[in-house]
Amino acid sequence: MNWQWFVPTKVFYGDDVIKNNASTLKGLGEKAMIVTGQGGSAKRNGSLGDMTEALESMNIKWELFNAIEANPSIDTIHKGAEFAKKHGVDFVIGIGGGSPLDAAKAIAVLAVNDISDEDLFALKFDDVLPIVAVPTTAGTGSEVTPYSIITYPAIRSKKSIFGDKLFPQVSFLDPKYTLDLPLHITIDTAVDAYAHVLEGYLSPRHTLLSDLLAKEALGILGAELRHLAADKPLAYENRNNLLYGSMLAGMVISHTATSIPHALSYSLTYFKDIPHGRANGMVIPEYIKFNLKNSDDPRIMEVIKYSGFEDVDSFIATMRKLSGTVPKLEDSEIEDYINLAYGTKNIRNNVIIPELDDLRTILKMSM
């Protein structure tokens, strides 16, 4: 089997990793732009304070851009890029969940490339400002991926920017930043992380190394999903497991990409405002049923096994409990959503390629 592996990000993991490794920031430039969400969670969980103290200890100036909404739009990215240009920053630090981290990556591109939206998504750019990532949720794994997912109204969906230059140069993962994460966000992001590793394991692009990481992540995240579904309290160990599992899942999809659940979930988020991870979870049970019905690939049942579930039924029950109440979709909405999904590359990144009618069945049965 021929394969390659490339994850150039230097990862620091554990307690107080920003403070203890502040010198790593020194070589990135003299002025940083910190990108965070609008809600102020980076300040409340201590990650913003830790980062600004680290920067100041290295005599690095910084500017704060705290305007990132959930599922950041291309308009917000342009505003961030103008902010970066105005303040003459040398590198970009994303702090938060997937939205600030993905936004930081896209801003790092447009800050030094005067290009149209079409050229941005066509990957017609050269240099990118150095990127630093500090995840404060355990879901996207963006701290170790070359992807930035941006809401793009021109296509009524999300669209990805990707490339080796979008890997963060440095990522700091400290479980304490996730300790006070609200339960609903913890569930949404945990399901997203699990969707990554599930879809990655069932991707035709899987490799020997991605499989090793996926098996580890499936076991860790599967156990934590059952813990969440059982309404048990979350201790530091659970938070640590979720953050570690999310990082592993990010490494997996950095090489395999995602599949059918992600492609279908984008419309649920764009049109129905359902959180991304939860939208994935709503689709996963029928996605697994579709695969089992139409393919004899043993990897499908291996996912259930490595995740620690007794059988398919218990797996589906857990996913449905965590996904919560699903929306009611009109037939016209289903047709619109599946046609939007059918044009994406994700749809064909599966053990079996679905037809449009298969997507219709998956989405209709999911709702």
Side-chain angles (χ1 to χ4, degrees):
M1 177 185 288
N2 296 328
W3 56 276
Q4 61 178 345
W5 189 262
F6 183 70
V7 179
T9 304
K10 178 178 285 188
V11 175
F12 293 99
Y13 192 107
D15 298 333
D16 299 322
V17 286
I18 295 178
K19 176 183 177 181
N20 295 335
N21 299 282
S23 60
T24 307
L25 302 167
K26 189 65 176 176
L28 299 178
E30 298 180 355
K31 192 173 189 179
M33 173 180 177
I34 301 176
V35 177
T36 71
Q38 298 171 334
S41 62
K43 182 177 181 180
R44 292 191 299 273
N45 62 37
S47 56
L48 178 59
D50 286 351
M51 179 55 72
T52 56
E53 287 182 16
L55 291 169
E56 290 167 4
S57 73
M58 293 293 110
N59 296 314
I60 299 173
K61 298 177 182 179
W62 56 273
E63 298 287 344
L64 177 63
F65 184 75
N66 56 351
I68 306 303
E69 73 273 36
N71 307 300
S73 69
I74 188 64
D75 288 343
T76 300
I77 302 306
H78 282 295
K79 291 175 183 177
E82 289 304 314
F83 183 96
K85 294 174 184 177
K86 175 183 176 181
H87 292 282
V89 303
D90 300 309
F91 63 105
V92 181
I93 303 171
I95 302 178
S99 293
L101 268 56
D102 282 6
K105 293 179 180 182
I107 289 169
V109 174
L110 289 183
V112 289
N113 292 275
D114 187 14
I115 55 177
S116 66
D117 293 347
E118 291 77 12
D119 284 347
L120 173 66
F121 289 110
L123 312 180
K124 295 180 179 179
F125 53 83
D126 297 313
D127 293 334
V128 177
L129 291 180
I131 301 161
V132 176
V134 183
T136 62
T137 67
T140 69
S142 187
E143 66 272 11
V144 289
T145 75
Y147 308 124
S148 170
I149 311 299
I150 303 301
T151 299
Y152 191 32
I155 63 168
R156 300 185 303 138
S157 188
K158 295 181 176 183
K159 194 169 179 63
S160 64
I161 307 164
F162 57 91
D164 289 349
K165 292 182 180 179
L166 268 67
F167 275 108
Q169 289 199 10
V170 184
S171 289
F172 299 97
L173 286 77
D174 191 329
K176 72 180 179 185
Y177 300 144
T178 70
L179 291 177
D180 295 326
L181 202 63
L183 180 60
H184 70 281
I185 297 178
T186 301
I187 292 173
D188 294 344
T189 52
V191 172
D192 188 27
Y194 185 79
H196 289 160
V197 69
L198 166 72
E199 295 170 50
Y201 192 73
L202 297 180
S203 165
R205 296 167 57 181
H206 73 93
T207 69
L208 292 173
L209 189 50
S210 73
D211 283 353
L212 286 173
L213 296 178
K215 291 173 185 178
E216 172 82 352
L218 285 168
I220 292 170
L221 294 173
E224 293 305 327
L225 291 186
R226 289 190 294 278
H227 187 96
L228 288 166
D231 300 318
K232 295 180 180 179
L234 291 166
Y236 179 91
E237 180 183 4
N238 303 109
R239 296 292 188 180
N240 180 67
N241 288 342
L242 288 168
L243 186 63
Y244 176 58
S246 174
M247 180 197 70
L248 293 178
M251 290 181 176
V252 171
I253 63 166
S254 71
H255 292 79
T256 65
T258 55
S259 185
I260 295 171
H262 270 71
L264 288 172
S265 75
Y266 288 157
S267 287
L268 295 175
T269 298
Y270 186 86
F271 293 106
K272 297 297 183 181
D273 201 29
I274 297 171
H276 171 63
R278 195 169 297 245
N280 285 325
M282 291 175 179
V283 176
I284 283 175
E286 294 302 324
Y287 161 69
I288 287 293
K289 287 183 180 180
F290 163 76
N291 282 337
L292 287 171
K293 180 180 178 181
N294 295 282
S295 172
D296 58 1
D297 193 319
R299 297 175 68 83
I300 304 167
M301 284 306 299
E302 286 174 5
V303 164
I304 308 299
K305 172 186 173 182
Y306 293 134
S307 299
F309 290 97
E310 293 181 1
D311 49 37
V312 175
D313 289 343
S314 62
F315 166 79
I316 289 175
T318 297
M319 295 306 302
R320 285 182 171 160
K321 179 173 182 179
L322 293 174
S323 298
T325 304
V326 299
K328 299 294 184 182
L329 298 182
E330 300 292 336
D331 288 346
S332 59
E333 291 177 309
I334 290 175
E335 292 304 309
D336 192 19
Y337 297 178
I338 64 173
N339 277 286
L340 286 170
Y342 198 63
T344 66
K345 294 179 181 179
N346 312 59
I347 287 297
R348 290 152 186 81
N349 189 31
N350 187 46
V351 291
I352 182 170
I353 299 175
E355 299 296 335
L356 195 62
D357 192 52
D358 297 319
L359 297 183
R360 183 179 295 109
T361 300
I362 291 172
L363 190 56
K364 184 172 289 188
M365 295 302 293
S366 296
M367 300 296 112

